Amino acid sequence: MPERRTVALVTLGCARNEVDSEELAGRLAADGWELVEDAADADVAVVNTCGFVEAAKKDSVDALLEANDLKDHGKTQAVVAVGCMAERYGKELAEALPEADGVLGFDDYADISSRLQTILSGGNIEAHAPRDRRQLLPISPAERQNASVALPGHAQDGAEEPAEAPADLPEGIAPASGPRAPLRRRLDNSPVASVKLASGCDRRCSFCAIPSFRGSFISRRPSDVLGETRWLAEQGVKEIMLVSENNTSYGKDLGDIRLLETLLPELAAVEGIERVRVSYLQPAEMRPGLIDVLTSTPGVVPYFDLSFQHSAPGVLRAMRRFGDTDRFLELLDTIRAKAPQAGVRSNFIVGFPGETEEDFAELERFLTHARLDAIGVFGYSDEDGTEAATYENKLDEETVAERLAHMQRLAEELTSQRAEERIGETLEVLVETVVPFDEAEEGEGAYGRAAHQAPETDGQVVFTDGTGLVPGTIVTAKVVGTLGVDLVAEPLGTEFSEIQEAAG
């Protein structure tokens, strides 16, 4: 009987990392590892790190140190770093953090089982050597599909051939139907799951280091995206969220920049899938046809996660981006003319090098008129290897902090106002969490999300009455109040009455 090996995956960062963790989970489970939720119960704790900004890097280091402490108090024997921070810094991270027993890059994912086994057995795996992953794929997007490069979420194998997955996969693992269809195992039972649409990015925003460690843009084939969505539906998933560094570029390396417009209706038609949500959209790449599909296709929610970053023309040019306040407002008007209840969220950077008081006021003008449902604001800081890090005219830390605090207060006020505008609206709400009667203050508490709310990043819906509601069901509800950015809604319709009657 083979020795029992346990592993826990600790995931930090974005939804793309969550998908990568489920790919690692699928590979490990297929090779006989037992997955456990608590790192203290695992032989090996694998921390899927984030390397986006300083705060995320600190969280990743803290998670690695916390896992390392378990070696003295739990059964944990080894701690291994994977993910973006491990890929970005590799040997540098290993030297700075000797508590990590291994620092593995994306090239190690295809053979993750043997890597962990070596580490668990006391062997040494040389720390990942970082390289600019943009140089691994051909410059021409059309030539990238057949490149032999490790791409998390695509399961393209690198130089080393991984062991073949067993023909009789354990229950709950998505079968790899081709070289680009990864094994996958769900790490929770949420009715929502992310599906990776593409990897990498060809844009060269001066503040962003992501392309250097995630690589150039490459799409997944529609058949693989559809196959994974069908498998997720079989696992009980009701909503899928398409993720990548830039979903608006999907298909450009497959010969059809409008491929997303074709794929979305097919995904929405998958049996069991109630909602399809698209994230990470570039305003400069929004097409009339894509807006039409996002606002008129049954099952595809009118949700626009638009990466504005700023609205002052001078700042945007320094960021190597495009647009201005008026053009962005025109885009929002176009969207809302087609779908008045459409949800829109975005992130913004304040204190960018050279940002004047007039630029800051222009951004405030945009936010005041944009009526966004969710707003993320970040203060600028230099990122290793980015063009902006070499810019002059840097603002002092105190000025950046003041502008950040001001804009965060404004964002909180504006999103609360936007939530209040929705009072009286009737929404279709996906129930996600139900708090049992004995744990709630009054009756059962239930929480969900409407079409304009993405998981984790946006607000939620708090039901006035959660009696009999079940996670994974969609309930019609009327907004009767707000709690900041969150909506308070009363369930409506015959289906809710039937639920209550069944619950007694």
Side-chain angles (χ1 to χ4, degrees), residues 148-436:
S148 181
V149 176
L151 295 168
H154 296 237
Q156 289 175 298
D157 300 326
E160 293 188 44
E161 287 295 327
E164 288 290 329
D168 52 341
L169 285 172
E171 185 178 352
I173 299 179
S177 57
R180 290 176 174 80
L183 295 171
R184 180 171 179 175
R185 184 185 187 278
R186 300 215 65 205
L187 292 173
D188 60 35
N189 58 359
S190 168
V192 184
S194 295
V195 174
K196 191 170 287 189
L197 193 63
S199 290
C201 185
D202 286 342
R203 301 183 71 88
R204 293 296 178 262
C205 301
S206 62
F207 56 85
C208 183
I210 290 176
S212 66
F213 57 86
R214 278 287 184 179
S216 297
F217 184 88
I218 183 167
S219 305
R220 291 183 68 196
R221 295 185 183 276
S223 58
D224 290 333
V225 178
L226 278 164
E228 190 168 328
T229 299
R230 293 188 184 103
W231 175 79
L232 287 167
E234 293 171 359
Q235 308 305 304
V237 169
K238 299 300 181 183
E239 175 181 324
I240 63 163
M241 184 168 72
L242 300 177
V243 299
S244 76
E245 280 73 23
N246 178 9
N247 281 332
T248 32
S249 283
Y250 180 70
K252 74 175 187 178
D253 52 324
L254 293 171
D256 185 0
I257 191 60
R258 292 178 291 277
L259 191 56
L260 183 56
E261 287 96 302
T262 304
L263 178 61
L264 285 172
E266 294 184 68
L267 291 170
V270 171
E271 186 176 356
I273 296 297
E274 302 283 351
R275 281 183 184 166
V276 177
R277 184 182 304 276
V278 185
S279 61
Y280 305 108
L281 300 169
Q282 289 291 339
E285 297 181 33
M286 290 300 295
R287 306 174 291 276
L290 179 56
I291 295 174
D292 287 343
V293 171
L294 287 170
T295 55
S296 65
T297 306
V300 176
V301 297
Y303 176 80
F304 294 81
D305 176 10
L306 294 163
S307 178
F308 288 122
Q309 301 300 340
H310 212 283
S311 72
V315 176
L316 287 168
R317 301 305 174 269
M319 290 178 168
R320 299 210 177 278
R321 297 178 66 82
F322 308 94
D324 57 47
T325 295
D326 292 334
R327 274 191 277 183
F328 290 163
L329 291 176
E330 288 174 6
L331 172 60
L332 295 178
D333 286 343
T334 299
I335 290 169
R336 288 172 175 143
K338 296 176 180 294
Q341 288 187 326
V344 186
R345 80 167 323 273
S346 191
N347 293 324
F348 300 89
I349 298 173
V350 298
F352 195 79
E355 181 191 62
T356 65
E357 291 184 6
E358 291 76 14
D359 294 330
F360 188 68
E362 183 67 3
L363 175 58
E364 185 167 337
R365 180 172 82 91
F366 172 68
L367 289 176
T368 302
H369 290 86
R371 296 170 56 232
L372 303 180
D373 293 278
I375 300 171
V377 187
F378 301 88
Y380 173 81
S381 62
D382 287 339
E383 278 295 311
D384 300 333
T386 62
E387 181 183 355
T390 69
Y391 286 177
E392 298 179 353
N393 301 321
K394 300 272 179 67
L395 279 65
D396 61 78
E397 292 184 3
E398 183 178 352
T399 299
V400 174
E402 288 175 354
R403 292 185 180 182
L404 174 62
H406 173 85
M407 204 59 80
Q408 285 178 329
R409 287 193 298 271
L410 178 64
E412 183 176 353
E413 177 183 342
L414 292 172
T415 52
S416 294
Q417 290 176 2
R418 177 66 182 128
E420 290 172 0
E421 290 180 18
R422 292 188 179 275
I423 293 177
E425 287 186 1
T426 299
L427 308 173
E428 298 298 311
V429 184
L430 175 64
V431 181
E432 290 191 313
T433 307
V434 176
V435 180

Side-chain angles (χ1 to χ4, degrees), residues 87-98:
E87 175 65 38
R88 184 176 181 184
Y89 295 104
K91 291 182 177 180
E92 182 182 343
L93 176 62
E95 292 170 0
L97 200 69

